[in-house]
Amino acid sequence: MPVCPKCNDRYGAGFTYCLNDGARLRDESAQQNHAALESQVIEGRYKVIEKLGEGGIGAVYKAERVKLGRTVAIKFLHKNFASQPGFVRRFEREAMAMSRLH
C-alpha cells in the first residue's frame, strides 16, 4: 500500500504522489524497513542514529562509525530498486563520488 513518507497518509493503487504535500509515495513495507534501521548496527561497524532524508532511489541516515566514533552518512537503496541493474549502477556511482568528498 502506498504511503506518504512525510505525513504517513495511505493511498490506494495508482497514486504516486501525496495529495496533501506532494511527496512521492513509498511502499508501506519499505517505510517499515527504514524505521527498523534506527539504532541498528550495520555490519558491526555503523550504528544508525536517525533518518536525515529520502530521495528518489534511497534514504540517507546519520550514523556513527562504532570503533572510531566518527559521524557518517549512509544511504540505503530502496528495496524496489535493488533488483534493477541500472539503479544499482547509479547508486554505486553516486557512492563512489560521495566517498571522495571530505
Side-chain angles (χ1 to χ4, degrees):
M1 171 180 283
V3 63
C4 177
K6 291 184 179 180
C7 68
N8 292 317
D9 279 359
R10 288 172 170 68
Y11 291 86
F15 286 90
T16 305
Y17 294 94
C18 179
L19 299 175
N20 296 319
D21 52 43
R24 186 174 179 88
L25 301 177
R26 301 281 179 239
D27 178 38
E28 187 171 32
S29 62
Q31 284 289 106
Q32 292 168 350
N33 289 340
H34 286 301
L37 283 173
E38 292 184 15
S39 299
Q40 296 294 315
V41 177
I42 308 298
E43 295 185 0
R45 298 186 299 176
Y46 303 97
K47 182 177 181 185
V48 179
I49 298 169
E50 66 180 318
K51 185 175 179 179
L52 297 175
E54 191 165 356
I57 67 168
V60 178
Y61 289 82
K62 178 180 178 180
E64 180 181 289
R65 182 76 189 259
V66 176
K67 290 185 179 180
L68 302 177
R70 181 176 173 212
T71 301
V72 298
I74 300 177
K75 185 171 186 178
F76 293 93
L77 185 64
H78 290 310
K79 186 178 176 181
N80 52 329
F81 293 115
S83 63
Q84 299 181 31
F87 284 105
V88 173
R89 283 192 300 275
R90 176 180 163 192
F91 185 80
E92 290 171 344
R93 280 193 309 269
E94 181 181 310
M96 292 295 289
M98 295 306 292
S99 72
R100 294 183 184 110
L101 298 175
H102 295 282

